[in-house]
Amino acid sequence: MAVPIPAAENNTDSPTSSGDELSGDEITAIIVFCVCWVVLVVFIYIVFKSTVKLVRHAEVMIVERWGKYRTTLKPGLHFLIPFVDKPRKVHWRYVQASADHHHINVKTSQTDRIDMREVVIDFGRQHVITKDTVSIDIDALVYYQITDPELAVFKIQNLPDAVELLTQTTLRNIIAQMTLDDTFSSRELINSQLKEKTILDAERWGITIKHVEIMNILPPSDIKRVMEEQIREERERRSTVITADGTRESAVIRSQGTRAEIVLSAEGEKTSNIQLAKGQAEARLLVARAEAAAIAALRTALQQGGARARATDYLVALRYIQRLKEAGDYKKTNLTLLPSASLDALG
């Protein structure tokens, strides 16, 4: 059976709530403490960030003290006097173009670090006029490198804009002195002239323009059509010339072959005649030697037989008899020769 508890006992056992609650001053003190702690952390962070500077490789930092140039920080870890030394922020503008150059994005940034590497600027499609009054569009890239960061910061307000505008104006002046055909075949000449004409301003700004690359030269559509027709006609002309040269060289080679054949044939015939003449001479020499030997033998025989006749008389008489025999053959000749003594004997 439940026993009811008196109300007085309940009131005496429960703690008073006023002792556990914070007063307004205490809450204010806690809030002030937290705010001071946050401010202190932020202040420490700002001091640390403005004091400790880490410069990466291929970068430098221009430091000013009370607004005046103090030093140039090289790559590495550096410590500055907070609120006294301050890095100089520079304005950079980068132009980014799409592959078809229809969309060009211009990006600007504020930075306290200067990139010492070679920088490329694509300043998009430029409208220029050649010496023969032809309007063309040129896509070019400019490669430059900062050599003196102090001059690049204090001698020019916006270095990328200055380099771009200087290159554009100089490029227009160079193209204005060249014909349309020269612009297509003289890209190296354009690069060299551009470097020569911008070297003074580049040195004054503490930079070096490495080179300029002409990516595209876009003439108007009608000029492009005419140029394509000229290229086609030039190819046909070259084909005709090459064919004519081939025919001419073929005829020359053929004539040279004929001439060589004639020369070789003549040389062979000459050699053959020489050899034949040598053979005939040797044959006659052998015959003469044989006849001389026969005459000598006949002379010796006549002398040994005691005859008074000469060997030559004997040979002449022998040849005479042979001729008379041949003359008597009517099948070989119609003329008969007889000595006058024979005719006198016949009456």
Side-chain angles (χ1 to χ4, degrees):
M1 183 174 178
V3 178
I5 299 174
E9 293 182 358
N10 282 335
N11 292 334
T12 57
D13 294 339
S14 62
T16 58
S17 59
S18 60
D20 295 337
E21 293 180 357
L22 297 176
S23 63
D25 295 337
E26 293 176 346
I27 296 175
T28 303
I30 293 174
I31 294 175
V32 171
F33 176 77
C34 293
V35 171
C36 292
W37 178 255
V38 172
V39 171
L40 180 61
V41 171
V42 173
F43 178 77
I44 294 174
Y45 172 77
I46 294 174
V47 171
F48 178 80
K49 186 176 181 181
S50 61
T51 302
V52 181
K53 296 295 181 181
L54 179 63
V55 182
R56 295 178 299 179
H57 185 69
E59 291 182 350
V60 295
M61 181 183 295
I62 301 295
V63 177
E64 295 177 338
R65 176 170 292 179
W66 304 117
K68 184 179 180 180
Y69 172 76
R70 177 179 174 269
T71 184
T72 301
L73 300 182
K74 303 298 182 180
L77 184 64
H78 302 273
F79 298 93
L80 304 179
I81 301 176
F83 308 110
V84 176
D85 296 335
K86 185 178 181 182
R88 173 65 179 266
K89 290 185 177 295
V90 293
H91 175 77
W92 295 98
R93 185 178 71 87
Y94 300 93
V95 178
Q96 294 182 349
S98 60
D100 54 359
H101 290 273
H102 293 307
H103 302 285
I104 298 178
N105 298 323
V106 180
K107 293 185 177 181
T108 60
S109 63
Q110 292 284 340
T111 179
D112 56 1
R113 286 168 171 80
I114 300 175
D115 197 343
M116 300 297 292
R117 295 174 297 178
E118 190 169 329
V119 182
V120 57
I121 295 180
D122 180 5
F123 49 79
R125 185 174 299 175
Q126 300 298 317
H127 185 73
V128 296
I129 299 176
T130 61
K131 185 178 180 180
D132 46 358
T133 64
V134 178
S135 300
I136 59 176
D137 293 330
I138 294 183
D139 292 339
L141 294 175
V142 180
Y143 294 84
Y144 73 92
Q145 186 176 12
I146 297 176
T147 57
D148 191 337
E150 182 180 354
L151 295 178
V153 173
F154 295 107
K155 290 294 182 179
I156 192 69
Q157 180 182 5
N158 191 327
L159 184 61
D161 288 345
V163 172
E164 179 180 346
L165 295 176
L166 176 63
T167 307
Q168 289 178 358
T169 54
T170 308
L171 184 61
R172 286 194 181 99
N173 294 332
I174 294 174
I175 297 298
Q177 299 175 1
M178 304 175 66
T179 61
L180 180 61
D181 295 335
D182 293 337
T183 57
F184 286 99
S185 59
S186 304
R187 298 193 178 189
E188 293 297 331
L189 179 61
I190 294 174
N191 185 17
S192 61
Q193 290 185 358
L194 190 60
K195 291 178 64 177
E196 292 177 359
K197 294 184 178 181
T198 58
I199 187 172
L200 295 179
D201 292 328
E203 290 179 353
R204 184 163 51 89
W205 295 339
I207 64 172
T208 300
I209 295 179
K210 296 297 185 178
H211 58 278
V212 179
E213 290 292 339
I214 306 297
M215 294 191 301
N216 293 317
I217 299 178
L218 305 175
S221 58
D222 53 345
I223 301 297
K224 184 177 180 180
R225 185 165 54 253
V226 172
M227 292 176 62
E228 290 177 352
E229 293 178 357
Q230 290 179 352
I231 293 174
R232 190 181 305 108
E233 293 176 356
E234 180 67 18
R235 289 177 179 174
E236 293 177 355
R237 185 186 66 82
R238 289 182 181 179
S239 176
T240 304
V241 170
I242 291 174
T243 303
D245 289 341
T247 304
R248 179 176 59 82
E249 291 180 0
S250 176
V252 170
I253 293 174
R254 193 179 296 110
S255 62
Q256 291 177 352
T258 304
R259 183 184 64 181
E261 181 180 1
I262 294 174
V263 170
L264 292 177
S265 178
E267 291 289 338
E269 186 176 357
K270 181 183 73 172
T271 304
S272 177
N273 292 333
I274 291 173
Q275 296 297 329
L276 181 60
K278 288 182 179 180
Q280 291 178 355
E282 292 178 358
R284 288 182 181 182
L285 183 60
L286 292 175
V287 171
R289 289 177 180 176
E291 289 180 354
I295 293 173
L298 180 60
R299 184 183 300 113
T300 302
L302 291 176
Q303 290 178 357
Q304 291 178 358
R308 295 182 178 181
R310 295 179 301 177
T312 55
D313 295 337
Y314 174 79
L315 292 175
V316 170
L318 183 61
R319 182 63 59 84
Y320 178 72
I321 293 172
Q322 291 177 353
R323 292 298 182 184
L324 287 178
K325 184 178 179 180
E326 293 177 357
D329 191 359
Y330 65 89
K331 294 182 180 180
K332 295 183 179 180
T333 181
N334 295 326
L335 180 63
T336 302
L337 299 177
L338 296 175
S340 60
S342 299
L343 293 176
D344 294 338
L346 293 174

